[in-house]
Amino acid sequence: MKEIISDFLDLVKVRNGHEPEFLQAVEEVAETVIPYIVKHDIYYGKNVLLRMVEPERLVSFRVSWVDDSGEIQVNRGYRIQMNSAIGPYKGGLRFHPTVNASILKFLAFEQVFKNSLTTLPMGGGKGGSDFDPKGKSDNEIMRFCHAFMSELFRHIGPNTDIPAGDIGVGQREIGFLFGMYRKLKNEFTGVLTGKGLTWGGSLIRPEATGYGTVYFAENMLRTQDDNFEGKTVVISGSGNVAQYAAEKSLQLGAKVVTLSDSSGYIYDSEGIDLEKLKFVMQLKNEKRGRISEYIKEYPNSKFVKGETPWGVVCDIALPCATQNELNGDDATKLLSNGCICVSEGANMPSTKDAIKKFHDAKILFAPGKASNAGGVATSGLEMTQNSLRYKWTREEVDQKLKEIMEEIHQSCIEYGKDDDGYIDYVKGANIAGFVKVADAMLAQGIV
Ligand code: NDP
Ligand code: 2IT
């Protein structure tokens, strides 16, 4: 088996050797899915996984725009249309200086499995730009988004490819992107998700990824007759996903003690309660400030510069910032501090080493493609409401989100339960995600 997997990975490396994040994501899937393929004749010998690692289409384009000082800026834009066997391409747009083809291909690849797990008919894609929104004025953001969409619009559509937000792309950016799409196409359609409530957005979409990550953790804890009540939670990030993961943790009776950004983390031993969280939301979403400013408002807390929060004692860890933010040493610290549950809000935040340590210690560990799928699932619900020209209540959407997270959890158990009863959520999510897409690809022939 090892040889079959390494032969496959060698093939993938020949074409993608210079793309470490993409190879990391493919390796994790190959190690769990290939043993399943080998045992099932319907998939064996059909090169299904080899087809799945090749994007159906990769669009790369120039984005030129003019900054506030009149200087002409040039960025690179991308859209990776990875797999549309079970539905139109669906996935976020990331604006961050580190964006490149490797990062977007890993995200698009993960998205295919994640979207399949949601139970909704969505293929996988991802896009973005190496544009850095930090320090840019609202007008610069608008001009950049308009320039970006003036090319992207010809590659997307409500039945083709439906982008959404990700790092650096929130409701403000979705608004500017939607405005330009609507103008160019002379069409008001559900071509983007994460829209504002008065122009086609869904209630609960802003909350969905963070809430879903916590709902998934709740499902995992329930397998051990446990819950969030009284637990200490460590969260990384302070953006969209982190904020609502914190809010839901608090609503379930837990104590949240950290948040972070790329400059460092804040630790509040008294707990970041709902009022303090409101301050963080205003600081990050309206003032676009830094998390270190928290300690000015709450002097009993501390800011630890340049570090991640994984050394802080906790029961539950929710990595909600970015890829590879939690390594093997961090996992060791979490385990020795008694952490029993890790639910990934970000995409691929734990390195391969870290995951191995969590698995060896047999704690509850959920990979992002299962635990953060609530965001895209609620995007799917936004698309449904747009098609129906209808609007569900907050309670209706939240209930559907909860049900979807439960179903994803169930699928992970179905495909991931080991002989000793331990649930390997990585294996479960990868195989469950694979089966649905592979079946659709086989049914549709070699296209
Ligand atoms: P935001 O832009 O709202 O927030 C990102 C947060 O992560 C910020 O606090 C940011 O800090 C921090 N961060 C970003 N890059 C780094 C880095 N290199 N090192 C340390 N911290 C960093 O993004 P989201 O909250 O939307 O996304 C967070 C994660 O969740 C990503 O992995 C994303 O792919 C994933 N995700 C998002 C979904 C969504 O619906 N939004 C759905 C599913 C997954 P700083 O301000 O300093 O950059
Ligand atoms: O990684 C993700 O799932 C997202 N950024 C959300 C994608 C979406 O289409 O809502």
Side-chain angles (χ1 to χ4, degrees):
M1 186 62 66
K2 271 201 170 136
E3 211 177 302
I4 301 179
I5 295 171
S6 72
D7 285 352
F8 172 80
L9 290 174
D10 285 345
L11 261 180
V12 180
K13 271 179 211 150
V14 170
R15 278 196 182 139
N16 309 280
H18 55 297
E19 296 182 339
E21 293 86 2
F22 179 58
L23 291 175
Q24 183 184 342
V26 171
E27 192 173 333
E28 183 211 281
V29 166
E31 281 173 356
T32 46
V33 168
I34 290 178
Y36 183 84
I37 293 176
V38 171
K39 277 194 229 134
H40 293 81
D41 285 346
I42 51 163
Y43 306 118
Y44 192 57
K46 310 251 168 61
N47 278 347
V48 188
L49 198 57
L50 196 60
R51 286 187 260 168
M52 285 175 73
V53 298
E54 197 58 31
E56 288 176 10
R57 193 172 299 104
L58 190 156
V59 187
S60 164
F61 51 96
R62 180 179 69 208
V63 187
S64 342
W65 57 284
V66 181
D67 69 18
D68 284 349
S69 60
E71 193 90 16
I72 299 164
Q73 300 285 343
V74 181
N75 286 99
R76 189 171 286 178
Y78 300 89
R79 188 69 185 166
I80 318 275
Q81 300 182 327
M82 201 73 193
N83 193 302
S84 59
I86 64 167
Y89 308 108
K90 178 86 196 88
L93 295 171
R94 177 177 290 192
F95 291 170
H96 195 272
T98 56
V99 160
N100 57 34
S102 171
I103 289 183
L104 294 182
K105 275 172 70 181
F106 113 66
L107 289 162
F109 184 68
E110 295 262 304
Q111 199 80 44
V112 172
F113 292 80
K114 184 195 303 192
N115 293 4
S116 162
L117 285 169
T118 64
T119 72
L120 303 174
M122 299 182 289
K126 199 88 188 187
S129 174
D130 57 2
F131 172 72
D132 185 359
K134 278 201 194 84
K136 301 288 189 300
S137 69
D138 279 352
N139 273 328
E140 287 177 321
I141 299 285
M142 179 182 75
R143 286 198 294 276
F144 176 79
C145 289
H146 284 172
F148 183 84
M149 187 53 89
S150 72
E151 173 59 33
L152 185 68
F153 84 100
R154 62 186 100 248
H155 307 290
I156 62 174
N159 296 310
T160 307
D161 185 352
I162 305 92
D166 193 78
I167 291 178
V169 178
Q171 213 182 89
R172 174 182 58 164
E173 290 74 19
I174 294 293
F176 295 144
L177 292 163
F178 184 76
M180 185 51 88
Y181 183 88
R182 184 171 60 75
K183 181 185 164 89
L184 292 171
K185 290 286 230 192
N186 193 24
E187 251 178 33
F188 193 108
T189 57
V191 68
L192 290 158
T193 58
K195 298 184 291 299
L197 286 180
T198 55
W199 39 282
S202 173
L203 287 158
I204 299 285
R205 177 62 189 92
E207 294 89 337
T209 311
Y211 279 17
T213 301
V214 173
Y215 291 151
F216 198 90
E218 233 189 339
N219 277 287
M220 291 200 291
L221 288 164
R222 203 172 293 135
T223 64
Q224 302 185 348
D225 294 321
D226 208 345
N227 59 48
F228 267 70
E229 186 75 45
K231 297 285 190 302
T232 298
V233 181
V234 158
I235 298 178
S236 65
S238 49
N240 171 267
V241 180
Q243 291 171 16
Y244 289 104
E247 184 172 279
K248 186 51 74 182
S249 300
L250 294 175
Q251 287 168 0
L252 295 178
K255 180 178 176 184
V256 175
V257 291
T258 67
L259 287 170
S260 73
D261 61 23
S262 53
S263 324
Y265 74 89
I266 53 129
Y267 172 61
D268 187 338
S269 60
E270 292 163 7
I272 303 164
D273 59 19
L274 283 171
E275 199 193 306
K276 294 174 182 175
L277 185 60
K278 206 169 147 197
F279 166 82
V280 172
M281 288 181 175
Q282 269 168 0
L283 172 73
K284 298 300 287 188
N285 309 344
E286 287 161 37
K287 298 187 187 138
R288 303 200 180 263
R290 307 300 299 156
I291 199 66
S292 55
E293 294 168 52
Y294 181 94
I295 58 166
K296 282 187 226 150
E297 189 75 10
Y298 303 106
N300 288 341
S301 61
K302 66 171 181 177
F303 174 64
V304 183
K305 199 174 162 186
E307 283 188 35
T308 50
W310 314 124
V312 173
V313 176
C314 67
D315 305 299
I316 298 168
L318 306 175
C320 297
T322 193
Q323 65 275 357
N324 293 327
E325 56 164 317
L326 196 167
N327 62 28
D329 292 342
D330 299 324
T332 303
K333 284 186 231 163
L334 283 168
L335 291 167
S336 62
N337 282 334
C339 177
I340 56 165
C341 174
V342 179
S343 185
E344 294 186 335
N347 286 308
M348 208 168 73
S350 309
T351 63
K352 195 178 172 186
D353 273 4
I355 297 174
K356 182 165 187 320
K357 289 190 172 158
F358 294 143
H359 279 164
D360 288 349
K362 297 207 182 284
I363 66 158
L364 300 167
F365 170 75
K369 61 171 83 71
S371 46
N372 74 34
V376 73
T378 308
S379 279
L381 300 175
E382 182 173 329
M383 288 162 68
T384 308
Q385 293 169 83
N386 291 163
S387 301
L388 292 170
R389 308 244 184 274
Y390 194 68
K391 205 162 170 45
W392 290 323
T393 64
R394 206 181 149 80
E395 290 70 30
E396 281 172 313
V397 182
D398 196 27
Q399 186 53 36
K400 289 184 204 305
L401 168 63
K402 269 187 202 152
E403 284 165 13
I404 289 172
M405 297 317 292
E406 246 173 70
E407 285 188 56
I408 298 174
H409 184 260
Q410 227 17 70
S411 302
C412 289
I413 295 183
E414 186 184 338
Y415 290 98
K417 203 167 198 165
D418 289 340
D419 293 340
D420 64 358
Y422 177 66
I423 305 162
D424 180 339
Y425 288 92
V426 174
K427 183 169 80 180
N430 288 344
I431 298 175
F434 168 81
V435 164
K436 187 171 159 193
V437 177
D439 288 349
M441 288 173 71
L442 293 175
Q444 293 168 31
I446 301 155
V447 286

